[in-house]
Amino acid sequence: MSAEIRDDCCDVLVVGGGPAGIVAATQAARAGARTLLIEKSAILGGSTTLNGVNLPGLFHAWGRQVIAGIGWELVTDAIRESGDTLPDFSTWADAPHYRLQVPVNIAVYAALADRMVIESGATLRLHTMLASVQFTEDGWDVQLCGKEGLHRVRAGVMVDCTGDANAVALAGLPLSRNRHLQPGTLITKAGGYDPATLDLPAIEAAFKKAVEHGEMSRSDFQSTNNPVGTFLRLRGGNTMHVPGIDGSTSEGKTQAEVRARATLLRIVRFLRAQPGLEGFRIEHMAAECGIRETVTIHGETCITRADYVGGRVWADSVCNSFYPVDMHAIAGGGIDTRPLVEGIVPTIPLGALLPRDSRRLIVAGRCASGDQQANSAFRVQASAMAMGQAAGAAATLAATTGRDLRDVPIEEIHALLIRHGAIVPMSTAVAAA
């Protein structure tokens, strides 16, 4: 376990407790760094818990595991505690990618995340956000905002796992933002009806007419074909779109939440007016609207679609990633999912996690440097966990030795990751071990 944080100083400050942040903080603390993890909400887990996307993946590619380590430990612990079973990853040839995600119980997963972080020796502060950051010669002077007010902390290295590069933005470093952002989704669970008794063609026709009259939006239901039927068959879930939002700021996130709930109310009113759906109701709604895309850093390396789908192994690759290019329609409904060619396993370079012209600052998760199509693939939870572990390892090695992140040999990062159960890209694993 790492030493306790004293005198408001830490070696590694991890900002954001989502998939990347949980793992980054645990890795840093287990490796001996004095670590502080802050999270703006009441619960760790980010997309898995707050957004209700409790399907961490993908950890396996083409029948073999390509991402492991601390994130996989948390996921499998949650499966075991809940009495659930893992998917059969050997059936990849006959199953779409989403069938190989790992459903976890949100309540159990969140409790285990708390335990893992705290038992690692890291200090956890929920309900806490960044107020300001300023770089000095020996690290970061950070002002935190908690319920009790403002509080200063000194950090040797800062790890931005906010998903929106909030720490990078406060540091005054440039960010990239695509002209058109992918829509968000508010995860729901619907009930009060029997799909087998419904006249779905008539309901689809009613939806089309409601769109023509401006009463509904085509994007309200995500699916390209049979949009209402898909929503009803899956009882909500990940089947609606909230376009035209930018969740990188509090103002933008407010608009996202308000629009998402307005969309849901519109759906409820429409469906309850349809024959057979008089008892339709929403039984559960995620606490937050899920955000797919906001900004990415100007990294020392930018991962392009060609790099990703070609399975490029960089000289400084720190982890694998695996997911189809998964572009959700900017307007209207639909998803453009493009599976990778069999055998391809993309990798993430350290340079994509390092903001250009920065010092002692690293990111992990969806704000890593990449173009829109590459980002649509590597933004997912398992890949974020792998990046988080790599960032936590690099941050520890830099902070505890007084080096800049760029001066830490990649072999040292790989060796630390392997000691903590991670899988590093195949071309460098032997050298790192």
Side-chain angles (χ1 to χ4, degrees):
M1 295 177 66
S2 63
E4 290 184 3
I5 295 172
R6 294 192 176 95
D7 300 324
D8 298 323
C9 292
C10 62
D11 298 318
V12 176
L13 169 63
V14 180
V15 186
I22 295 170
V23 176
T26 301
Q27 171 66 88
R30 285 181 178 177
R34 296 173 301 164
T35 304
L36 172 62
L37 170 62
I38 67 169
E39 162 57 34
K40 65 179 175 58
S41 74
I43 189 171
L44 294 176
S47 295
T48 318
T49 54
L50 281 170
N51 303 148
V53 189
N54 57 326
L55 299 163
L58 295 170
F59 293 91
H60 294 72
W62 320 118
R64 66 182 177 90
Q65 189 160 7
V66 295
I67 295 174
I70 293 168
W72 180 245
E73 173 190 331
L74 176 59
V75 168
T76 52
D77 281 353
I79 293 295
R80 183 169 51 255
E81 288 277 3
S82 302
D84 297 325
T85 58
L86 291 168
D88 181 357
F89 300 110
S90 68
T91 62
W92 61 270
D94 302 315
H97 69 277
Y98 54 82
R99 294 281 179 87
L100 300 181
Q101 292 173 321
V102 186
V104 295
N105 180 281
I106 289 176
V108 170
Y109 182 91
L112 290 174
D114 291 340
R115 188 181 73 176
M116 187 176 77
V117 168
I118 292 169
E119 289 186 352
S120 75
T123 298
L124 173 63
R125 292 288 180 267
L126 301 174
H127 301 290
T128 303
M129 298 179 67
L130 288 179
S132 66
V133 303
Q134 184 174 0
F135 184 74
T136 62
E137 282 304 311
D138 57 350
W140 291 93
D141 183 2
V142 178
Q143 192 167 217
L144 305 179
C145 180
K147 289 173 67 64
E148 66 282 4
L150 299 177
H151 176 63
R152 287 194 175 277
V153 171
R154 293 281 302 163
V157 175
M158 187 160 54
V159 186
D160 187 336
C161 297
T162 63
D164 305 314
N166 294 145
V168 175
L170 283 172
L173 296 166
L175 300 172
S176 294
R177 186 187 312 270
N178 292 309
R179 182 178 179 185
H180 299 292
L181 301 178
Q182 294 183 80
T185 290
L186 182 61
I187 301 292
T188 60
K189 181 181 178 182
Y193 62 95
D194 180 358
T197 65
L198 301 175
D199 184 348
L200 292 177
I203 296 174
E204 296 286 3
F207 173 62
K208 183 177 180 181
K209 184 175 294 186
V211 171
E212 292 172 352
H213 292 168
E215 299 164 358
M216 298 288 288
S217 171
R218 175 59 191 85
S219 64
D220 289 348
F221 297 110
Q222 180 187 105
S223 179
T224 302
N225 299 313
N226 304 313
V228 188
T230 300
F231 178 94
L232 292 169
R233 178 174 56 83
L234 297 178
R235 296 189 178 275
N238 186 3
T239 58
M240 61 179 279
H241 271 164
V242 186
I245 56 174
D246 179 359
S248 61
T249 65
S250 290
E251 180 182 2
K253 196 71 187 291
T254 299
Q255 292 178 358
E257 308 296 3
V258 170
R259 288 187 188 180
R261 290 190 284 268
T263 299
L264 186 58
L265 181 59
R266 193 161 57 239
I267 289 172
V268 169
R269 288 173 171 171
F270 167 75
L271 290 178
R272 284 181 59 84
Q274 306 308 311
L277 288 170
E278 294 83 359
F280 176 89
R281 63 181 180 274
I282 297 297
E283 297 176 342
H284 175 76
M285 178 187 77
E288 293 187 3
C289 176
I291 304 295
R292 291 185 173 86
E293 176 188 352
T294 55
V295 299
T296 54
I297 65 168
H298 285 196
E300 294 192 350
T301 303
C302 180
I303 305 169
T304 66
R305 180 188 183 282
D307 296 327
Y308 193 87
V309 302
R312 180 172 180 176
V313 179
W314 312 76
D316 62 342
S317 291
V318 287
C319 65
N320 294 316
S321 175
F322 188 72
Y323 207 76
V325 172
D326 188 54
M327 289 290 296
H328 288 243
I330 305 302
I335 311 170
D336 184 7
T337 300
R338 303 195 177 188
L340 299 172
V341 173
E342 184 175 335
I344 291 291
V345 178
T347 72
I348 305 294
L350 182 66
L353 310 183
L354 298 174
R356 233 178 289 163
D357 302 321
S358 70
R359 292 183 61 195
R360 293 180 161 265
L361 175 62
I362 188 169
V363 309
R366 74 167 181 240
C367 58
S369 183
D371 67 22
Q372 190 172 35
Q373 292 201 31
N375 181 266
S376 76
F378 69 64
R379 65 180 174 80
V380 297
Q381 293 175 46
S383 297
M385 288 174 166
M387 285 185 263
Q389 188 160 357
T396 299
L397 292 167
T400 57
T401 61
R403 293 176 289 186
D404 186 62
L405 289 153
R406 292 158 184 79
D407 298 327
V408 178
I410 193 67
E411 294 80 10
E412 289 187 27
I413 297 173
H414 286 168
L416 180 56
L417 289 170
I418 290 171
R419 282 202 301 274
H420 289 265
I423 296 172
V424 298
M426 293 299 293
S427 67
T428 52
V430 175

